[in-house]
């Protein structure tokens, strides 16, 4: 919404300045060396070229002859305007009806200082500030030293100096706002790239920087921030930043669209046409002497293949079901339309409407904003997909580490927990618990009842503060946490006794088919600092064996193998 408000404000600002008199159809050209003088040129006025070939000239100094048509302009000084890209010294000469010549000479820095928004020069026509003299001006001669772009000539127009002086600040503010709006997505791209590392965010950042620098330079704001910038530097920035932004947009499109939505054969075509303007720009800048129509035409023509390929790619990806491509369609369709117009005017196929250049700025900024939303949407979708993948991985890990019958950990998870415990030392003892006479339960009451016993035991063990796992048919292991209070009543043997009492009651209350109590035997051992799970389980298993041999239904926490069986040598479960 804000960009449209700025656009409407621009229209209202430019309304008073729309009374400019365009002279592209009426101007004539003539070329001389840098030593050409106005008096000699006026004498050869009949040799000026007014045909369609008037932009092809020989010589380092181009002379432009225009009729002084200021009747539709307000009173006051009149200036001649045109594109200032790549210019150096200039001069403006007024030819009065009596043959008098009034001249004004401008160095490159003075041409720079006379800049107008959208990167034009605005040089005052000598004598136009005086009403009496202005009425006598018949013809204006303009000399340009080593011009490099046709728009320095094709965009020549007469305008009110005062009105454009008044518009300089508000229009500059408008361009500054456009640059500010366009640069904002760059910062969150940098932020999100640091966390997500998606390459399309880098290419989008290059696009943004290219667009912002192009707008900053070609609009003339560069002269406000950096007054010493040469017109040649501005010229180079305009050409290079646009070419680089276009190249980056091709790689952005390739990376941004979902995988598989652009066919493999189309991708190299897209990328090669995207970088074509970069190579053509490098070729164009080999020409530095004078103005070469054909080289500039090559530059503008180099964008056409890419624009056509992008149009095809957007339709192609849309037909393949891409959702991300909708953002490109919304952002790039207006740009492509304006670009074809700009290319046609840049190749001098027609003069066109100069104000369309302002429209190009707005759609470029609009493009960065739309694609910013597209990037945000793509990030959210990638994040959701990443979270879904992580969730699936967690679920698979849980399935791999979970016993299917009891829903507690299995031996694989026990091994992982034991390995972690070698570092964090959360558990001090290992206990192995076995259901007494479980085979008889299966034989007498059936495997369904036996499975229900296992489920009840697993559920109750899972509610303790210890790590529990089913490691065999009716065998369970516990990694026991020490009691932080250090109570003697909470030693591992006593705690396992209480746990077994809870298990006996739970099975009795929940598995009604079994009439007699189901009891448990347990072997416990401490976990040394440097040991293996196999060694610890071997010790606990021996003590479980002792508990079984000693009559079952008991907890054994030390080695009984070398002792004679006597009452009190074990802890019986009451």
């Amino acid at each position: 919404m804000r960009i449209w408000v700025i656009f409407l404000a621009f229209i209202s600002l430019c309304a008073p300045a729309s009374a400019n008199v365009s002279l592209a159809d009426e101007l004539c050209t003539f070329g001389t060396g840098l030593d050409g003088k106005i008096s000699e040129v006026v004498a050869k006025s009949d040799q000026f070229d007014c045909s369609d070939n008037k932009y092809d000239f020989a010589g380092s100094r181009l002379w432009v002859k225009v009729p002084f048509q200021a009747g539709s302009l307000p009173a006051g000084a009149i200036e001649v305007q045109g594109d200032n890209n790549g210019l150096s010294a200039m001069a403006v000469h007024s030819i009065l009806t009596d043959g008098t010549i009034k001249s004004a000479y401008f160095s490159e820095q003075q041409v720079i200082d006379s800049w107008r928004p959208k990167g034009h020069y605005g040089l005052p026509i000598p004598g136009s500030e005086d009403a009496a003299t202005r009425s006598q001006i018949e013809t204006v001669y303009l000399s340009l030293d080593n011009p490099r772009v046709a728009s320095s000539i094709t965009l020549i127009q007469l305008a009110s100096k005062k009105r454009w002086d008044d518009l300089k600040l508000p229009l500059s503010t408008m361009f500054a706002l456009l640059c500010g709006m366009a640069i904002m997505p760059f910062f969150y791209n940098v932020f999100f790239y640091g966390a997500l590392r998606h390459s399309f965010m880098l290419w989008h950042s290059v696009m943004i920087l290219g667009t912002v620098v192009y707008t900053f330079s070609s609009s003339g704001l560069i002269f406000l921030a950096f007054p010493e910038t040469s017109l040649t530097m501005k010229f180079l920035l305009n050409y290079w930043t646009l070419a680089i932004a276009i190249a980056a947009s091709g790689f952005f499109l390739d990376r941004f669209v979902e995988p598989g939505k652009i066919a493999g054969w189309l991708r190299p075509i897209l990328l090669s046409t995207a970088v074509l303007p970069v190579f053509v720009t490098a070729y164009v800048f080999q020409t530095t002497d004078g103005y070469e129509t054909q080289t500039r035409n090559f530059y503008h023509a180099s964008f056409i293949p890419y624009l056509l390929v992008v149009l095809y790619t957007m339709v192609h990806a849309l037909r393949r079901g891409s959702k991300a491509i909708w953002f490109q369609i919304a952002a790039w369709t207006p740009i492509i339309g304006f670009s074809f117009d700009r290319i046609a005017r840049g190749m001098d196929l027609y003069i066109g409407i100069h104000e369309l250049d302002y429209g190009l700025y707005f759609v470029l900024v609009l493009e960065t904003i739309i694609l910013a939303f597209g990037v945000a949407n793509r990030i959210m979708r990638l994040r959701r997909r990443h979270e879904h993948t992580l969730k699936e991985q967690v679920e698979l890990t849980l399935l791999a580490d979970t016993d299917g019958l009891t829903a507690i950990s299995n031996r694989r998870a026990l091994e992982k927990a034991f390995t972690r415990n070698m570092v964090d030392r959360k558990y001090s003892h290992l206990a192995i618990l076995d259901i007494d006479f479980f085979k008889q339960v299966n034989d007498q009451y059936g495997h369904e009842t036996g499975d229900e016993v296992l489920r009840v035991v697993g559920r109750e063990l899972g509610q303790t503060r210890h790590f529990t796992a089913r490691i065999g048919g009716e065998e369970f292991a516990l990694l026991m946490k020490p009691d932080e209070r250090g109570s003697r009543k909470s030693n591992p043997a006593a705690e396992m006794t209480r746990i077994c009492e809870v298990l006996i009651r739970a099975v009795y209350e929940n598995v009604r088919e079994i009439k007699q109590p189901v009891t448990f035997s347990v072997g416990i051992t401490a976990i040394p600092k440097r040991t293996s799970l196999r060694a610890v389980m071997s010790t606990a298993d021996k003590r479980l064996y002792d508990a079984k041999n000693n009559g079952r239904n008991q907890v054994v926490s030390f080695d009984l193998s070398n002792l004679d069986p006597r009452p009190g040598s074990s802890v019986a479960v009451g």
Side-chain angles (χ1 to χ4, degrees):
M1 177 63 70
R2 280 179 288 182
I3 192 169
W4 294 115
V5 172
I6 294 174
F7 181 72
L8 292 174
F10 159 74
I11 295 297
S12 62
L13 283 173
C14 287
S18 60
N20 299 344
V21 178
S22 177
L23 301 172
D25 295 332
E26 302 179 54
L27 63 83
C28 303
T29 63
F30 182 68
T32 68
L34 291 178
D35 57 350
K37 296 180 173 55
I38 180 61
S39 57
E40 299 170 351
V41 170
V42 171
K44 300 177 181 179
S45 62
D46 57 337
Q47 298 180 24
F48 274 68
D49 187 353
C50 302
S51 69
D52 293 338
N53 298 321
K54 56 190 173 184
Y55 303 121
D56 295 328
F57 65 92
S60 301
R61 176 169 290 173
L62 173 64
W63 295 86
V64 182
K65 179 177 68 173
V66 296
F68 186 71
Q69 298 178 358
S72 58
L73 293 173
I78 303 299
E79 64 183 20
V80 59
Q81 296 180 354
D83 191 348
N84 63 13
N85 268 320
L87 294 177
S88 54
M90 295 180 64
V92 182
H93 309 275
S94 300
I95 310 300
L96 306 185
T97 53
D98 60 2
T100 303
I101 301 176
K102 287 186 173 291
S103 302
Y105 297 90
F106 303 91
S107 65
E108 180 177 348
Q109 187 59 50
Q110 288 174 316
V111 175
I112 292 172
D113 295 339
S114 73
W115 70 273
R116 297 303 189 191
K118 182 42 187 89
H120 287 181
Y121 58 79
L123 303 178
I125 296 175
S128 64
E129 69 281 0
D130 178 69
T133 306
R134 171 175 163 169
S135 64
Q136 299 180 45
I137 299 176
E138 186 176 57
T139 308
V140 174
Y141 284 80
L142 181 69
S143 70
L144 302 87
D145 290 353
N146 299 313
R148 292 180 177 173
V149 294
S151 53
S152 297
I153 311 163
T154 59
L155 297 181
I156 284 180
Q157 60 184 12
L158 302 182
S160 167
K161 185 178 185 302
K162 182 180 184 306
R163 288 188 176 180
W164 277 96
D165 283 341
D166 294 340
L167 284 171
K168 193 169 185 176
L169 178 60
L171 286 179
S172 297
T173 303
M174 179 201 71
F175 280 114
L177 288 173
L178 289 177
C179 289
M181 293 173 65
I183 197 64
M184 291 305 297
F186 170 80
F187 296 106
Y188 80 71
N189 271 353
V190 173
F191 174 79
F192 281 114
Y193 180 77
L196 302 177
R197 303 286 178 177
H198 295 301
S199 61
F200 67 81
M201 301 170 71
L202 289 179
W203 292 115
H204 187 228
S205 297
V206 175
M207 289 173 57
I208 291 172
L209 289 178
T211 300
V212 170
V213 175
Y214 173 78
T215 304
F216 182 73
S217 173
S218 62
S219 67
L221 288 179
I222 191 171
F223 298 129
L224 279 177
F226 307 101
E228 300 301 319
T229 303
S230 69
L231 293 171
T232 298
M233 176 57 68
K234 172 181 177 287
F235 170 69
L236 294 175
L237 283 174
N238 288 359
Y239 274 61
W240 273 114
T241 54
L242 197 56
I244 291 172
I246 287 293
S249 70
F251 286 88
F252 170 76
L253 176 59
D254 176 60
R255 303 295 194 276
F256 181 70
V257 174
E258 303 92 333
K261 302 304 181 183
I262 299 179
W265 63 267
L266 182 56
R267 293 182 62 217
I269 298 175
L270 174 66
L271 299 180
S272 60
T273 55
V275 299
L276 177 62
V278 175
F279 292 103
V280 174
T281 301
Y283 166 73
V284 167
F285 288 145
Q286 292 179 1
T287 304
T288 57
D289 297 329
Y291 170 69
E292 294 286 345
T293 304
Q294 294 304 317
T295 55
R296 183 168 175 270
N297 287 348
F298 293 155
Y299 172 80
H300 287 92
S302 67
F303 293 95
I304 296 177
Y306 175 67
L307 296 178
L308 295 175
V309 170
V310 166
L311 285 172
Y312 178 83
T313 302
M314 291 193 299
V315 175
H316 170 83
L318 187 62
R319 293 180 64 183
R320 283 192 163 210
S322 171
K323 294 181 179 178
I325 199 64
W326 281 108
F327 289 97
Q328 269 92 357
I329 292 174
W332 289 359
T333 301
I335 287 183
I336 291 173
F338 276 97
S339 296
F340 276 122
D341 167 77
R342 187 69 185 86
I343 290 170
R345 288 188 290 120
M347 297 175 66
D348 304 320
L349 299 180
Y350 72 100
I351 301 302
I353 303 173
H354 167 60
E355 282 70 19
L356 288 178
D357 283 342
Y358 291 98
L360 181 60
Y361 287 118
F362 281 97
V363 296
L364 282 173
V365 175
L366 184 63
E367 177 252 4
T368 63
I369 295 173
I370 292 176
L371 289 187
F373 285 109
V375 169
N377 178 267
R378 186 88 170 94
I379 290 172
M380 293 301 297
R381 291 176 62 196
L382 287 169
R383 179 184 174 185
R384 286 195 293 268
R385 189 174 71 180
H386 180 65
E387 290 175 346
H388 179 70
T389 301
L390 288 178
K391 183 179 178 181
E392 288 182 338
Q393 290 175 348
V394 170
E395 290 175 350
L396 290 173
T397 302
L398 288 174
L399 288 174
D401 293 346
T402 303
D403 177 65
L405 179 64
T406 62
I408 62 174
S409 298
N410 57 17
R411 188 183 183 98
R412 181 172 181 268
L414 175 67
E415 293 173 352
K416 292 181 179 180
F418 187 86
T419 301
R420 290 193 299 270
N421 190 58
M422 292 296 99
V423 178
D424 54 34
R425 305 296 299 173
K426 290 172 58 178
Y427 309 108
S428 61
H429 288 74
L430 172 78
I432 298 180
L433 178 147
D434 186 82
I435 304 175
D436 294 331
F437 303 112
F438 186 71
K439 185 176 184 302
Q440 294 179 14
V441 173
N442 279 333
D443 293 343
Q444 185 175 351
Y445 299 102
H447 287 280
E448 285 296 326
T449 300
D451 288 348
E452 184 60 25
V453 171
L454 293 173
R455 280 191 284 267
V456 171
V457 171
R459 183 177 69 244
E460 295 298 326
L461 289 177
Q463 293 176 0
T464 68
R465 63 191 180 93
H466 310 295
F467 181 90
T468 59
R470 184 186 176 201
I471 59 174
E474 70 273 20
E475 210 168 51
F476 298 82
L478 291 85
L479 293 173
M480 302 185 69
K481 287 184 177 181
D483 188 349
E484 296 178 354
R485 297 171 298 175
S487 172
R488 293 179 61 186
K489 294 182 180 181
S490 63
N491 67 76
E495 185 152 359
M496 283 307 304
T497 299
R498 288 194 297 273
I499 289 174
C500 289
E501 291 173 350
V502 171
L503 294 177
I504 291 171
R505 292 192 185 95
V507 172
Y508 185 77
E509 293 173 358
N510 290 280
V511 189
R512 297 290 185 176
E513 299 92 326
I514 303 177
K515 304 304 180 184
Q516 70 277 14
V518 174
T519 60
F520 302 85
S521 298
V522 181
I524 303 176
T525 183
I527 302 175
K529 288 186 177 180
R530 294 181 178 85
T531 188
S532 65
L533 178 61
R534 177 179 294 183
V536 176
M537 288 190 70
S538 177
T539 302
D541 201 50
K542 287 178 182 177
R543 293 175 182 177
L544 173 63
Y545 183 77
D546 289 341
K548 292 283 188 180
N549 286 340
N550 202 40
R552 291 182 171 83
N553 191 27
Q554 57 191 266
V555 176
V556 175
S557 59
F558 59 94
D559 193 358
L560 302 181
S561 301
N562 299 322
L563 297 177
D564 293 330
R566 293 178 183 175
S569 61
S570 64
V571 181
V573 179

